Amino acid sequence: MHWHALRAGGWLAAVVCAIGGCDAVRPVPQPDGLPPDAAAVAEAQRARLSAIPTLAMRGVAELRWTDGSGAHVEDGDFELVLRAPVDTSLRVTKFGERVLWAGSGNGQWWLFEPKAQPSRVTVGAFDLPDREDGLLALMRPAHLLATLGLRPIDASEVEQIEWDSRLGCWRALVRQGTSQMSIELRHASLLPLGVDWLDAHGNVRVRSEMSVFAWPGAEESVTRPGALVPTRITVSIFDPPAEVALVREGRAPAPQATLGLSAAPPTDGTSRIRDRLFDFESLRASLKPEVVERVSGAAAGAFPGVSPEGAAP
């Protein structure tokens, strides 16, 4: 499986699934009453995330991409384990063989690529400049969680909220660090249904669409009304970026790649939580990558440098 083939050519979403979100055939009028404000959006997300401090999902991943040699399709199994606030572990296997292992913990994020030649891991610190750089950027925990609709939102980050009459949902323009996102929110509950990652010109680089929501580890409960998480997500990578209007109308050029996850009902993750999942040195000792690349800081306007460290012990 050539998951590393798109590593530098676009954003690979590490987690994901079926196009859904809030489709509408006809324009949907804005609901009566005042629109939600930034504080309401932030509080809805805070309440939802407080109900799911840990989370685990398993399912099937499928990657489709096009390059100079034509169209390709690969699939595999995935396991995602999350522990608030920013501990993440995403493992992809095929026939029991490790294909990709991404994660974060203790102030670091990493991406193991056992199938690369030579096998390698890339590791960086949380506090490095937040810049878009293919799969490496998406592996930063804040980006990964946002793609899943699971990143906290601060009211100060919300720049605009408007009604999308085509999709029939609220749309919030959110700036987090150097990243700008347009987040689709279900009316009333303000549940995230989709995320567009925008470039400096407002064009879509990556689109994440979420659907088939479920309560982790239990059926719907009035005691946890906001704990819904998506079990179907489709991430589309556009290279070059596509005009936002064309993407939302379904008329954009075909994405360079799509990565989807279709998950079984999630659990609260308590049985899957292991400290080693979020410890880089423990994983490095187990996976034994031949090359360790450490992402370093870079001057303003440049991408982070990557320096090979050589074979791991």
Side-chain angles (χ1 to χ4, degrees), residues 180-301:
Q180 188 175 29
M181 298 174 290
S182 179
I183 306 177
E184 296 157 16
L185 302 167
R186 180 177 290 171
H187 172 56
S189 69
L190 301 179
L191 179 72
L193 302 173
V195 179
D196 290 336
W197 292 81
L198 308 177
D199 67 7
H201 304 288
N203 295 320
V204 178
R205 295 194 64 186
V206 178
R207 176 165 175 76
S208 172
E209 299 177 273
M210 295 163 262
S211 63
V212 190
F213 291 82
W215 279 261
E219 296 181 354
E220 179 175 353
S221 169
V222 295
T223 63
R224 300 189 308 150
L228 285 170
V229 297
T231 63
R232 302 289 186 274
I233 308 165
T234 296
V235 176
S236 301
I237 301 103
F238 294 94
D239 188 12
E243 292 184 27
V244 65
L246 297 181
V247 172
R248 293 172 186 171
E249 294 170 6
R251 298 189 293 113
Q256 179 201 15
T258 60
L259 179 64
L261 292 188
S262 178
T267 71
D268 61 14
T270 53
S271 65
R272 305 299 303 167
I273 295 294
R274 302 288 187 275
D275 286 341
R276 65 176 296 273
L277 294 177
F278 316 115
D279 185 290
F280 172 71
E281 293 301 335
S282 293
L283 293 176
R284 176 180 173 178
S286 174
L287 299 176
K288 296 180 172 60
E290 297 173 271
V291 174
V292 177
E293 299 176 335
R294 294 190 179 274
V295 179
S296 61

Side-chain angles (χ1 to χ4, degrees), residues 24-215:
V25 176
R26 302 174 182 175
V28 179
Q30 180 174 324
D32 294 334
L34 295 175
D37 58 14
V41 170
E43 174 56 24
Q45 185 74 336
R46 186 207 63 77
R48 173 173 170 250
L49 296 182
S50 68
I52 43 175
T54 58
L55 178 70
M57 291 195 295
R58 288 179 170 181
V60 177
E62 181 183 77
L63 172 67
R64 295 177 178 268
W65 80 96
T66 303
D67 57 22
S69 61
H72 310 272
V73 180
E74 294 282 6
D75 57 21
D77 300 315
F78 81 91
E79 179 183 61
L80 175 69
V81 181
L82 306 176
R83 180 172 65 182
V86 289
D87 288 347
T88 66
S89 173
L90 173 68
R91 178 171 49 186
V92 179
T93 61
K94 186 167 186 177
F95 302 124
E97 185 177 16
R98 298 186 184 104
V99 173
L100 175 152
W101 197 327
S104 61
N106 298 317
Q108 297 185 103
W109 58 266
W110 50 82
L111 172 64
F112 287 89
E113 298 175 89
K115 300 293 288 182
Q117 296 296 328
S119 63
R120 65 186 172 215
V121 61
T122 305
V123 59
F126 283 7
D127 57 1
L128 287 177
D130 186 16
R131 296 183 174 92
E132 299 172 342
D133 187 22
L135 178 56
L136 298 183
L138 190 58
M139 289 304 100
R140 295 175 184 267
H143 290 179
L144 179 59
L145 293 172
T147 301
L148 296 167
L150 297 175
R151 181 179 177 177
I153 299 173
D154 190 272
S156 64
E157 299 170 332
V158 181
E159 298 184 342
Q160 180 182 347
I161 302 172
E162 61 183 6
W163 179 252
D164 188 319
S165 61
R166 183 180 182 278
L167 296 179
C169 58
W170 296 108
R171 184 178 293 280
L173 187 63
V174 177
R175 186 178 297 278
Q176 295 180 325
T178 60
S179 300
Q180 188 175 29
M181 298 174 290
S182 179
I183 306 177
E184 296 157 16
L185 302 167
R186 180 177 290 171
H187 172 56
S189 69
L190 301 179
L191 179 72
L193 302 173
V195 179
D196 290 336
W197 292 81
L198 308 177
D199 67 7
H201 304 288
N203 295 320
V204 178
R205 295 194 64 186
V206 178
R207 176 165 175 76
S208 172
E209 299 177 273
M210 295 163 262
S211 63
V212 190
F213 291 82
W215 279 261

